[in-house]
Amino acid sequence: MTTEPTPVITLEKLCTNPNFIANNLPIKFGITDFVGETEKYRPKRGFYVQKDQTINAIALEDLPIYHEFHLQPTSANYIHCMQIHQNPKQPNQFNMLIGAMSWCCDGAILGGTYSLDDDSFDVKFATRVPFNTYAIVGELTFPDPEHNSILGHVFASGSGCHGAGIQYFTTNPSYNKQEFIYDLHKLNSNLDKNQRIAKHKPSDQCFLYGPGVIVENNTLMAGGLNIEEAFKISQEYYEHRDLLETEQLETEQKQDQKSPHTYALEDIEETLAKIRLAASQSSFITRNLHEVYP
Amino acid sequence: MKVLAQPHTPAFQTPEQFLASYAKILLGKEYETYQELKSTITPQEINLYESTKKKLNELKSEIFQFTLKVTRGSATPDDYITQQERDTTLKSLSLDEKVAAFFTLKDKIDGPCSNGSHVRKSYITEYNPKDRKIILYYGENVPNTFKNVANILRADGGIVKVWNYEDIGTDEHFDDRIYSGVEICNRDQAPHTWKLLRHAKEHDGFTLFFLDSTPLVQHCREDEELKTAQELKAKGKKIMIITNQYGGLGRFL
């Protein structure tokens, strides 16, 4: 089955308003550091969903992320950032990407779907990242009754004593893949390429004091780094494109045929197009580091 | 792997609500003026104000350079012509008084509110002052960061009574006791902190100390008061020490 490629959209600004409408009711999402009715002052980190006057919350500690996904409890001590994507076809469903941090060396990224129908959160993935996650952006497929599978592509960036930079995480029914697409501590191998990603020499502080994911010149950025370029360069997009152009030129000259290779250029472009589309339809929440959230 | 959400009651007011409440306590009616200005001033007016102010500062700097040239006798006829143009421009520029008043009030609010927010962050995860009857004792030479602890607690809903530190322990009709001063030890400067420690030992309420960091890590380190506080904390008593360590704020205990 062939599917239409995702259209490439122009990004101007990301939405930071956590308010939505579902079934004519106002819905609001937010970070909370205190979950639990009886022990309301006991810190328990999570997020809340306010449906009109009713507020419900999901605590990270209550998610099956430690046994099922082998996440260390400390890696997800605090939620720092969230991307909330309302299903355009099912407004009661919200895909959520969560960037968490230990506030020490490492962090975690989590993804899943919140359903207003039964006020539940279906966690789809959770994985440790070697930094405190200060920005997250990506896309997850919405639940489909006919296809019980999930596809997701996530970029997370941050810094910590175990690493700093941008990681790319992808998940599908057969495998998960996680890699640094920009490792701040292993830089300078190719300055020309790095200039595509960062205009100025980046530092750990760029992530810490950055505003999370933003759009600059129609590109997704975090901590002053061009996420999309980092992804393209890590996947050798430009090398493949040059090879393809050379091959196409040669084959056209020789046999008047197209090159048989595609070098996954379309996959890379499609992944970015999906993330950009999801980002344009999402709302982004970032913790103010100086605050605790009720 | 679905998890059902649980009913959530916000534990305390949001940081924004706290800041509004704190600013109102600090500024009184001026805060109402600030809010009024904030709601009526448009982004265009702010942009115009900022660009005019920038232009004025540039002109003043250029005029200063011109004056220097005149003093040194190096000003040329062209410099005088340029200066005349500057004078004309300067006369034509004026700052919007409404926006200027807004920024004056904003400056008045931002500093204390930022400090208040930091102080609050140091206790709020474990101590919610809302509706608590609090008695607060200010010691001598209170560090600047902790001079407004009473109002910070009030902005968080605490019912705060400020007493002279010499009166520590003379009234038991309070939920929590808080001390804001330089140090916990050295009986000359903090002769009554023992009474607060005794309160922490004998009562269920909270006992908080807002202290300067230097004595805690230097001459108070081995003193009995600090050791007692640490022992009480280890026994699960509701005792906290908050300090202005490293120029910022943090929990010592």
Side-chain angles (χ1 to χ4, degrees), chain B residues 144-207:
Chain B
N144 280 338
T145 320
F146 301 135
K147 276 190 172 158
N148 245 332
V149 167
N151 284 335
I152 293 167
L153 295 166
R154 283 181 186 126
D156 250 336
I159 304 154
V160 185
K161 190 163 187 178
V162 179
W163 273 17
N164 189 308
Y165 69 92
E166 288 166 1
D167 295 325
I168 288 177
T170 56
D171 196 319
E172 296 297 328
H173 301 294
F174 291 93
D175 298 322
D176 308 320
R177 281 159 195 271
I178 295 176
Y179 180 80
S180 176
V182 177
E183 57 189 44
I184 194 168
C185 64
N186 192 334
R187 296 174 187 202
D188 292 337
Q189 281 195 38
H192 303 284
T193 48
W194 270 117
K195 291 179 184 171
L196 259 88
L197 291 168
R198 201 156 53 233
H199 174 267
K201 191 179 176 181
E202 291 167 4
H203 295 83
D204 286 337
F206 283 84
T207 307

Side-chain angles (χ1 to χ4, degrees), chain A residues 161-183:
Chain A
C161 42
H162 287 169
I166 309 171
Q167 285 217 331
Y168 168 61
F169 173 79
T170 182
T171 179
N172 70 31
S174 52
Y175 75 102
N176 293 333
K177 185 180 158 194
Q178 184 176 353
E179 61 180 326
F180 257 116
I181 56 170
Y182 189 88
D183 188 340

Side-chain angles (χ1 to χ4, degrees), chain B residues 15-223:
Chain B
E16 293 75 22
Q17 287 167 328
F18 163 77
L19 288 175
S21 173
Y22 186 48
K24 202 172 176 181
I25 290 171
L26 290 181
L27 295 186
K29 283 207 165 184
E30 273 188 317
Y31 184 68
E32 287 169 28
T33 314
Y34 170 75
Q35 287 290 81
E36 206 177 299
L37 287 169
K38 196 178 173 186
S39 61
T40 53
I41 292 170
T42 65
Q44 289 79 11
E45 284 175 317
I46 288 177
N47 285 343
L48 180 65
Y49 175 86
E50 285 178 336
S51 60
T52 310
K53 198 172 179 187
K54 195 181 166 196
K55 183 74 186 161
L56 279 170
N57 287 339
E58 282 170 5
L59 284 171
K60 281 175 188 168
S61 168
E62 285 168 16
I63 291 168
F64 178 70
Q65 295 300 326
F66 171 74
T67 316
L68 279 181
K69 275 188 174 183
V70 173
T71 316
R72 289 173 192 151
S74 60
T76 63
D78 281 351
D79 287 335
Y80 281 94
I81 293 168
T82 315
Q83 180 55 30
Q84 276 183 343
E85 288 167 1
R86 278 193 208 108
D87 288 339
T88 316
T89 315
L90 200 62
K91 279 177 191 167
S92 69
L93 292 175
S94 66
L95 289 172
D96 186 332
E97 283 179 13
K98 194 173 69 171
V99 185
F102 167 74
F103 276 110
T104 308
L105 287 173
K106 189 174 183 299
D107 288 345
K108 236 175 168 176
I109 289 171
D110 283 354
C113 278
S114 169
N115 180 53
S117 182
H118 278 76
V119 173
R120 178 187 197 244
K121 192 190 167 189
S122 64
Y123 64 73
I124 196 74
T125 51
E126 287 174 46
Y127 175 59
N128 188 351
K130 185 167 168 50
D131 298 331
R132 304 283 292 181
K133 283 186 201 158
I134 301 163
I135 186 146
L136 174 72
Y137 307 98
Y138 279 118
E140 288 176 339
N141 306 317
V142 182
N144 280 338
T145 320
F146 301 135
K147 276 190 172 158
N148 245 332
V149 167
N151 284 335
I152 293 167
L153 295 166
R154 283 181 186 126
D156 250 336
I159 304 154
V160 185
K161 190 163 187 178
V162 179
W163 273 17
N164 189 308
Y165 69 92
E166 288 166 1
D167 295 325
I168 288 177
T170 56
D171 196 319
E172 296 297 328
H173 301 294
F174 291 93
D175 298 322
D176 308 320
R177 281 159 195 271
I178 295 176
Y179 180 80
S180 176
V182 177
E183 57 189 44
I184 194 168
C185 64
N186 192 334
R187 296 174 187 202
D188 292 337
Q189 281 195 38
H192 303 284
T193 48
W194 270 117
K195 291 179 184 171
L196 259 88
L197 291 168
R198 201 156 53 233
H199 174 267
K201 191 179 176 181
E202 291 167 4
H203 295 83
D204 286 337
F206 283 84
T207 307
L208 273 67
F209 291 90
F210 291 87
L211 303 170
D212 191 30
S213 66
T214 315
L216 282 171
V217 292
Q218 291 182 3
H219 66 263
C220 288
R221 203 170 53 184
E222 300 297 327
D223 275 28

Side-chain angles (χ1 to χ4, degrees), chain A residues 34 55 57 119 121-122 289 294, chain B residues 1 3 5-6 8 12 121 124:
Chain A
F34 302 85
I55 312 176
D119 280 307
F121 183 63
D122 190 3
L289 282 174
Chain B
M1 279 174 274
V3 169
Q6 52 184 307
H8 180 59
F12 41 81
K121 192 190 167 189
I124 196 74

Side-chain angles (χ1 to χ4, degrees), chain A residues 141-165:
Chain A
T141 50
F142 284 104
D144 182 349
E146 290 177 15
H147 302 94
N148 189 21
S149 61
I150 186 109
L151 295 170
H153 306 277
V154 182
F155 294 124
S157 72
S159 59
C161 42
H162 287 169

Side-chain angles (χ1 to χ4, degrees), chain A residues 32 34 40-41 55-58 62 68 114 118-123 289-292 294, chain B residues 1-15 19 117-118 121 124-125 128:
Chain A
T32 175
F34 302 85
K40 61 184 176 183
Y41 305 135
I55 312 176
N56 289 302
I58 292 284
D62 298 338
E68 302 294 337
Y114 191 91
D118 55 358
D119 280 307
S120 69
F121 183 63
D122 190 3
V123 61
L289 282 174
H290 302 300
E291 306 291 5
V292 286
Chain B
M1 279 174 274
K2 274 190 177 183
V3 169
L4 291 178
Q6 52 184 307
H8 180 59
T9 310
F12 41 81
Q13 60 185 345
T14 64
L19 288 175
S117 182
H118 278 76
K121 192 190 167 189
I124 196 74
T125 51
N128 188 351

